[in-house]
Amino acid sequence: MEPRALPGLAMARGAPGSRAHRTNAYVGRTRARGARKRCSDMIGAGNRQQVSVSKSHGFAPWFETMRIVAAGLLALTVPAQAVASTPDESAIPERPRIGLALGGGGARGGAHVGVLTVLDELRIPIDCIAGTSMGALVGATLAAGAPIARIEREILAVNWATTLGSEGQRALMPMQRKLAGVTYSNNLEFSVSRNGLLGVGGLVSTQNVEGFFRQLVGEARYVENFDELAIPFRAVATDLAGSEMVVIGSGDLTRAMRASMAVPGAFAPVSLDGRVLADGGMMRNLPVDVVRELCADVVIAVSLETPPPEAGQLRSVFALAGRSIDAMIIANERQQLASLTDRDVAIIVPTGDLGSTQFGRIPETIPLGANAARAVAESLSRYSVSEDEYRTWRAQHQRPETGLIKVEAIRLQPLRHPSQEFLTSRLSTRAGDEVTRTDLETDMGRIFWSGDFVRVDYRLSQGDTAGRAVEIEAIERPGGSDFMRFDLGLGSSSGGDTLFVLRADHRREWVNARGGQWRNALQLGSQSELETVFYQPLDIAQRFYVESGLALRRRLESAFNDGDRIARYDLWIGEASFDVGYNISNRARVSSGLRWGAAEFDEDTGRIEGFELGRRRDANVKLSAIYDTRDAAVLPTSGVYAQVDLTSSGSWLAGEQSYDVVEAVVGHASQIGRSTLLLAGGAGETLSGELSRDKDFQIGGIRSFAAFAPGELRGEGYWSGSADWMWPLVEFSPLFRQVLFGGFGLQAVRMKDRIDGVDDDTILGASLTLGARTPVGPLLLSLGVADDDSFQLHFALGRPISEGSLLDRLH
């Protein structure tokens, strides 16, 4: 007989022959007749003869009648002794089919692993699984045939800061892309299309998430029908367009897992069969009815419980919005728990103060799940089987781990814009190599972070010989090859400085087959800028390049006399540039180039001797080398940044200045426990000639020396050193670097040939800082004092505003 349809959801089955009818990714419940039969067949060799066919398959009553008649005829024709020796089939108890329903809960879902461990200890075989969100992750991995011990090992070993956060992604970026983001305060980028600006759909990149899923399930992702996995499985998602539950039972297993975990706003939704799928918790956080329809006579339901908040905790807008979503999820979960019968078992896991985004605390959740399962061990033990039977079941339902993969060929699917040759050059894997799945995922990351892709996936197909072909699918972002970024920077100090910048950048990728890139920028505010740059790689791997640009800049320049602001000027700079460079690796670049332009000072307020008004032309040659291994450009916690610039100006090309100047900086960030130590040093020196005032080195501000106002120290040479100790005060979401830091710093600086004529003494200073990353960029609040009685209170938010030296690049 047909499985009973859920009220209001029968329409989701689709007409015979329709796509909704053909696929198993339909709204509501699936047709489970075949799945039930397969579950019955896989219960175990030692128990197969005990399964009642009529009960398992729902055959018509006439079949049962024929069986009874046949049994009667057999009794009349077989000798009594033979009949007596035949086991009474009706007296043999039938093992019920056990279905496992695993609920959602984000990081709390690690408790499912603890539950599975206890089920394994009690020898309870699982015949089918349905999961939502994190429950889908754990459930799909078990359904794929992974032993429980390996699931636990993989969950505990994963670096969630890399998988869900941004840790490690800068190391995979080409140098051009890395340097383009050095001064950006946020990661928001939009592609330009005829329909306007298109975002990525989520704040968190899912590239590493899907890579983690691919490693978890291995070859099982190529099983099209989830009934044919080691254990039949269903993932639950929500169709945002149709406002309906979607039960996914076919296709790519990793995509099903991703759809079930796609928390709106955090992760981009998944498009599947014309639907826009997101986290299933909104419709069915605990899929009891789904697993019952799939095969279950008995349901083991695992619910992740959190204590309700106190009234005082529901006062902020964010707390109320978050609790509104929680209330919706809890309501549909309670409905599912209420549907459990006396035969079913509910495992309620109290997770205390564990938050859904605190993935760093997953090791704490596994014992919680184990303890909750042991608390109902008596109820669970009703469904234990013998050691022999369980050993047989486990042998049939577990799959060995994939070893090394022999790569016979690498193929990329056709792309609209990026060069396949360039992307192939990014791979470390070559045909003939033997690699692990981890090696392949690292290569997918190299492609993903090299350009503008939604995701980069691969599939393994059988090669012509004994090897495998790696088929790479790089999904480009919607729209064309034009992208936009926006940025905002604010800064102020107790000395009276209030600075702001508002910036918009346009970038066109793949102007030609070699990867030409055209960039345009408009910045308004205290430091205004209009710029256009063309970057042209010269080889397929984009190691060698040329770059040319035009720029017009305006900024306000202050002049101080022993700490007192006495004048302010408008500085206008126009410049043309041409560079030739070499990208040594993702970490380093060297370049040399020509600069030609003119600078002009106009009076704003006051006047100081030494500032020549009017226009002066400058032509120079510049050599530069950069090394960058930091994990973040702003508030890094690890890595090194170093830069050296050598500039020589002369009278050629109608230049009116003659000087040689060098500047170098180096910074190192390292973690010591939960704290971060930032060491930085820099120096600038005029080797010959005399600098014009627009070329002076400037020190002062929240990043270069917090005890001084921006530009307060100004001269033709300097050296500086600092050490800052940063420690976390409040961890809002450490996984996504949402942490409030406290910091203490020591600084030393000496400015040479100061324009105000003050003695060139070394100045010592100290600072206290509060810092945090926000959606609009870093937030800094700093109080600085110096041994010459200088002090300043600074505030900065968003895009760093230049303070006049390469020290800007270190903080």
Side-chain angles (χ1 to χ4, degrees), residues 212-224:
F212 175 54
F213 293 168
R214 288 191 289 265
Q215 293 188 77
L216 281 179
V217 304
E219 295 290 316
R221 70 172 298 210
Y222 305 123
V223 176
E224 177 69 20

Side-chain angles (χ1 to χ4, degrees), residues 559-577:
F560 293 81
N561 185 4
D562 198 14
D564 297 323
R565 191 193 315 269
I566 60 176
R568 189 190 296 268
Y569 297 86
D570 264 336
L571 172 61
W572 293 86
I573 299 176
E575 185 177 72
S577 62

Side-chain angles (χ1 to χ4, degrees), residues 131-155:
T132 299
S133 193
M134 192 68 170
L137 183 153
V138 176
T141 308
L142 181 63
I148 295 170
R150 183 165 78 86
I151 297 176
E152 180 174 2
R153 184 179 75 243
E154 296 285 355
I155 292 291

Side-chain angles (χ1 to χ4, degrees), residues 28-104:
R29 297 188 176 190
T30 57
R31 293 167 87 65
R33 182 183 299 171
R36 287 180 180 271
K37 180 179 185 302
R38 184 168 177 272
C39 289
S40 301
D41 293 342
M42 295 191 303
I43 284 176
N47 196 48
R48 283 180 184 163
Q49 70 275 17
Q50 301 174 13
V51 178
S52 168
V53 174
S54 60
K55 186 172 181 179
S56 298
H57 302 293
F59 289 159
W62 63 266
F63 187 88
E64 178 65 15
T65 302
M66 292 299 293
R67 188 182 69 81
I68 296 173
V69 171
L73 293 175
L74 183 64
L76 292 174
T77 56
V78 178
Q81 183 177 357
V83 173
S85 64
T86 302
D88 182 1
E89 186 174 293
S90 63
I92 300 176
E94 175 191 344
R95 181 178 78 76
R97 293 164 297 204
I98 308 296
L100 188 60
L102 301 178

Side-chain angles (χ1 to χ4, degrees), residues 553 573-579 592-599 616-624 645-661 691-692 694-695:
R553 301 182 179 92
I573 299 176
E575 185 177 72
S577 62
F578 180 81
D579 291 283
S592 63
L594 299 174
R595 304 285 186 276
W596 185 91
R616 296 190 66 186
R617 294 187 299 273
D618 183 36
N620 63 70
V621 176
K622 184 175 183 178
L623 303 177
S624 182
D645 287 349
L646 175 62
T647 305
S648 179
S649 176
S651 59
W652 35 271
L653 293 178
E656 296 177 332
Q657 302 183 52
S658 178
Y659 60 84
D660 295 298
V661 64
L691 292 182
S692 62
D694 63 291
K695 303 295 183 182

Side-chain angles (χ1 to χ4, degrees), residues 224-307:
E224 177 69 20
N225 188 336
F226 295 174
D227 288 342
E228 297 174 3
L229 293 169
I231 302 174
F233 171 73
R234 295 294 184 269
V236 178
T238 298
D239 180 7
L240 295 179
S243 301
E244 296 173 311
M245 179 179 77
V246 175
V247 177
I248 309 175
S250 67
D252 187 325
L253 184 59
T254 61
R255 296 292 285 166
M257 297 161 70
R258 243 278 284 134
S260 187
M261 291 186 67
V263 178
F267 300 106
V270 173
S271 296
L272 185 66
D273 291 338
R275 297 186 176 93
V276 180
L277 303 183
D279 192 292
M282 293 180 284
M283 290 292 174
R284 195 72 87 248
N285 199 53
L286 184 63
V288 171
D289 56 348
V290 175
V291 76
R292 200 184 299 280
E293 189 71 27
L294 179 58
C295 86
D297 299 316
V298 171
V299 175
I300 298 175
V302 185
S303 172
L304 308 173
E305 183 181 65
T306 55

Side-chain angles (χ1 to χ4, degrees), residues 421-442:
E421 291 80 5
F422 166 67
L423 297 181
T424 302
S425 73
R426 300 279 303 160
L427 302 176
S428 63
T429 302
R430 297 288 183 266
D433 291 349
E434 289 189 344
V435 299
T436 65
R437 291 185 181 273
T438 301
D439 296 330
L440 292 177
E441 290 300 339
T442 301

